[in-house]
Amino acid sequence: MNRVGIQMTNPSKLAQEFVETGKLRSLSIIDMHTHMGPFYGTFLPEAGLDRMLRMMDQENIEWIISAPHSALFDPIAGNSEIVQAMAQHPKRIYGYYTFNPNYADGLERDLADFAKHPGYVGFKLLPDYHKYPLTGDQLTPLYEFANDNGLLLLSHTWGHSPYNPPGMIAELARRYPRIKFLMGHSAPGECDRAIELAAELPNVYLELCDTHRLNGMVRKMVRAATSEKVLFGTDMPWYDPHYGLGCVLFSGIEDVEIANIMHHNAVRLLEEIGK
């Protein structure tokens, strides 16, 4: 397609720049949902930290927030990998402290240690995988800490799940108004309900990982909940951020809305932490 054709089918100057140069140079990208390191049972060629940083440079990703696979599934390794990555690459890699409620021993000690690592911006929960509901009592100290400090909380969400459906997010968001709840994947199967909650509750946000690929979904989220409630996330290294970026750029929304999703919302959320 020639340049004229691009302008006719998509008025976005950012999309035009992406097609002509291969990346966004005028707007840096922030990825709010990433992992790193090997994952059992599959091969992820871009999972190593060095490879991820190289991909970030290629795509003009300014910084990411990550929860390594080791923290998600290895209670012994815990969060050591993200602590090391944050120390090595400050302002490029921020971290979610990952908590598995099935291994709750030591949470109080780890929360006391949280402030020693300035790259931490919140928490990551994986209820469907850990088989523990978002509203379970083991998570109460974590929620209270996050609420006291105005932190982010990225949780895996899935429609009609007994562990992390949109309804549980709504209950927690009302109980803990200072936590910014990021609905990981935006609850596939109940995306409409997730969008309703983001529009209704000031501390609930939609996150695009996996759902960005659904035709019309980005535009639907923006029209119903505004672009200020939608966050760019890729699940990198599972998804190539190039693909996710294209899904947003060619969704038919305005450039100011694209900029909110790709950059401005993330900056604002980090600036609000602790206030």
Side-chain angles (χ1 to χ4, degrees):
M1 181 179 291
N2 60 31
R3 182 172 177 173
V4 174
I6 294 167
Q7 292 176 325
M8 291 176 61
T9 58
N10 191 322
S12 168
K13 292 182 179 179
L14 292 174
Q16 180 178 321
E17 176 188 341
F18 179 73
V19 170
E20 292 180 350
T21 69
K23 71 178 186 179
L24 283 186
R25 300 179 186 274
S26 61
L27 177 71
S28 64
I29 301 162
I30 296 168
D31 193 333
M32 301 288 282
H33 186 162
T34 73
H35 306 289
M36 66 177 67
F39 185 83
Y40 64 89
T42 191
F43 173 62
L44 299 171
E46 304 297 330
L49 179 57
D50 290 344
R51 297 285 291 269
M52 288 182 66
L53 287 165
R54 185 167 62 188
M55 182 178 291
M56 289 167 64
D57 291 338
Q58 290 173 347
E59 300 291 342
N60 195 24
I61 298 175
E62 183 177 353
W63 47 269
I64 64 174
I65 312 179
S66 192
H69 294 123
S70 55
L72 293 170
F73 299 107
D74 185 348
I76 297 175
N79 291 275
S80 58
E81 187 175 353
I82 189 61
V83 168
Q84 182 177 3
M86 292 188 300
Q88 291 176 342
H89 305 280
K91 298 186 178 181
R92 292 220 73 190
I93 298 177
Y94 293 87
Y96 296 113
Y97 174 92
T98 303
F99 178 59
N100 183 340
N102 297 302
Y103 301 92
D105 294 345
L107 177 60
E108 184 175 345
R109 177 200 64 230
D110 290 347
L111 291 180
D113 190 58
F114 189 96
K116 297 178 182 178
H117 306 289
Y120 274 139
V121 296
F123 297 95
K124 165 67 173 164
L125 299 176
L126 204 60
D128 260 336
Y129 290 76
H130 295 157
K131 304 301 179 186
Y132 191 89
L134 275 173
T135 50
D137 292 341
Q138 295 277 45
L139 293 170
T140 298
L142 184 148
Y143 292 140
E144 291 176 346
F145 182 91
N147 193 63
D148 289 343
N149 292 280
L151 299 174
L152 309 182
L153 191 142
L154 171 64
S155 176
H156 179 91
T157 58
W158 215 261
H160 310 292
S161 165
Y163 302 106
N164 43 218
M168 286 188 183
I169 292 288
E171 178 183 340
L172 293 167
R174 294 186 177 102
R175 190 185 309 168
Y176 301 103
R178 296 192 67 237
I179 299 177
K180 303 297 193 297
F181 287 89
L182 283 52
M183 300 184 67
H185 312 293
S186 297
E190 287 189 83
C191 279
D192 286 349
R193 179 59 177 145
I195 294 170
E196 290 174 2
L197 292 178
E200 174 189 351
L201 299 171
N203 59 331
V204 173
Y205 293 79
L206 299 161
E207 188 270 315
L208 287 177
C209 171
D210 192 55
T211 52
H212 52 44
R213 61 187 172 82
L214 302 176
N215 185 34
M217 183 57 71
V218 174
R219 182 181 177 89
K220 183 176 186 178
M221 288 176 171
V222 168
R223 293 295 169 261
T226 79
S227 63
E228 293 186 353
K229 298 302 290 290
V230 184
L231 301 168
F232 184 68
T234 64
D235 234 357
M236 183 170 63
W238 291 88
Y239 285 94
D240 188 328
H242 206 68
Y243 172 71
L245 177 58
C247 291
V248 177
L249 288 173
F250 295 95
S251 63
I253 62 177
E254 302 293 328
D255 276 354
V256 65
E257 295 169 326
I258 292 172
N260 282 339
I261 293 171
M262 306 306 300
H263 182 95
H264 300 331
N265 295 340
V267 172
R268 184 184 73 250
L269 286 176
L270 256 66
E271 289 176 345
E272 292 175 355
I273 289 174
K275 291 183 180 180

